[in-house]
Amino acid sequence: MLRRLIGEYLALLDSAADPGDPVIGRLFPPASLEDAGVAASYRDLAQDDLTRHKRHTAEVALGSLVEGGGRQRSLDDDEMQAWLVVLTDLRLAIGTKQGVTEEVMDRPIDPNDPEQFPLAILHYLGALQESLVRSLM
Amino acid sequence: MTQTAPVEIDRPDVGEKTEADVPWLVVVWNDPINLMSYVVYVFQKLFGYSKAKATKLMLDVHNLGKAVVSSGPREKAEADVYRLHAHGLWATLTKDR
């Protein structure tokens, strides 16, 4: 599942970045809310680099997944850092698409409701990320 | 040696700061998705803050909606915004007025 999610994420990065897409808007937020000039100059400076950086990070994470659920191996520092960031971006993508609010995040999920499946994934990825953060702190 | 007429020198107004000198602030905004523990970790990682300071900043973001996490000249502020974006946080830069 992680492989598929990362695949979708990479496809999103590859597709012509549509600034109207709320997910793209959250992954590449404006650098200024009050000054369009500042936001534009930052975007010119940073957008390509950030896209490349995110793609590279996702590929590092993907590369660390073991084929066919075989023998587990532990992650090195770079891979752990990559996963930390990838898990964040995946959660942001899902959460933004679902339009979640703080209140939605606090609500318990009905595991039998298929409509809540994306939320369930969000929480699952959150648990993964939490344990990763704990191990790094 | 001949005496030349005094020349008027155009003194720069030293009271005026140039654009590059105005400090810029880096603000992190709350979002409902990012884990609190992750945000604390990022503040420690990127800025070298103690866990206590990073936690306080995270709580400010969470409770007040935003917090200033760093400041400096524009280039530094832009670099900080970039690093925060690279970690999935929403940051903006603004002039310290």
Side-chain angles (χ1 to χ4, degrees):
Chain A
M1 180 188 72
L2 287 172
R3 195 182 304 268
R4 184 172 62 84
L5 286 173
I6 297 181
E8 287 173 10
Y9 169 74
L10 282 169
L12 180 70
L13 290 180
D14 283 339
S15 70
D18 169 17
D21 179 347
V23 175
I24 293 287
R26 181 55 187 87
L27 294 179
F28 301 93
S32 172
L33 297 175
E34 72 251 359
D35 188 333
V38 169
S41 99
Y42 172 83
R43 190 172 50 241
D44 288 342
L45 206 65
Q47 184 87 358
D48 284 347
D49 278 349
L50 192 56
T51 308
R52 256 194 304 271
H53 174 81
K54 285 184 185 284
R55 185 177 297 129
H56 172 74
T57 304
E59 282 164 3
V60 169
L62 206 53
S64 74
L65 285 174
V66 179
E67 279 291 350
R71 190 169 51 89
Q72 294 291 321
R73 66 167 178 78
S74 49
L75 303 174
D76 65 33
D77 286 345
D78 283 346
E79 287 165 339
M80 288 204 281
Q81 292 296 322
W83 271 109
L84 212 48
V85 169
V86 166
L87 286 170
T88 299
D89 272 5
L90 287 178
R91 297 185 74 244
L92 288 173
I94 296 172
T96 304
K97 207 161 174 193
Q98 296 294 310
V100 302
T101 60
E102 302 260 6
E103 196 245 346
V104 171
M105 291 301 286
D106 287 341
R107 221 188 284 155
I109 304 179
D110 175 3
N112 295 314
D113 180 358
E115 303 240 320
Q116 297 200 346
F117 190 52
L119 265 184
I121 300 187
L122 194 54
H123 287 294
Y124 167 70
L125 294 177
L128 272 184
Q129 187 176 22
E130 184 76 51
S131 68
L132 186 52
V133 172
R134 296 247 176 107
S135 75
L136 287 169
M137 287 283 230
Chain B
M1 215 153 55
T2 56
Q3 189 112 10
T4 55
V7 175
E8 214 154 62
I9 299 172
D10 208 16
R11 283 181 187 282
D13 181 357
V14 288
E16 210 170 271
K17 282 186 174 175
T18 62
E19 182 68 16
D21 293 336
V22 174
W24 287 71
L25 304 176
V26 177
V27 176
V28 169
W29 298 82
N30 190 29
D31 77 71
I33 299 165
N34 271 318
L35 300 176
M36 287 163 75
S37 60
Y38 175 68
V39 173
V40 172
Y41 174 81
V42 170
F43 288 163
Q44 286 182 264
K45 174 183 172 184
L46 296 188
F47 302 111
Y49 293 148
S50 68
K51 187 163 181 188
K53 173 155 185 182
T55 303
K56 165 147 197 328
L57 282 174
M58 178 279 293
L59 288 172
D60 284 347
V61 171
H62 183 71
N63 293 322
L64 306 174
K66 60 175 177 158
V68 173
V69 298
S70 81
S71 67
R74 181 165 173 169
E75 267 185 23
K76 174 183 184 291
E78 281 175 334
D80 285 348
V81 166
Y82 180 85
R83 295 187 302 150
L84 287 160
H85 286 183
H87 283 77
L89 267 60
W90 179 14
T92 60
L93 62 158
T94 185
K95 274 202 201 130
D96 185 9
R97 292 230 175 271

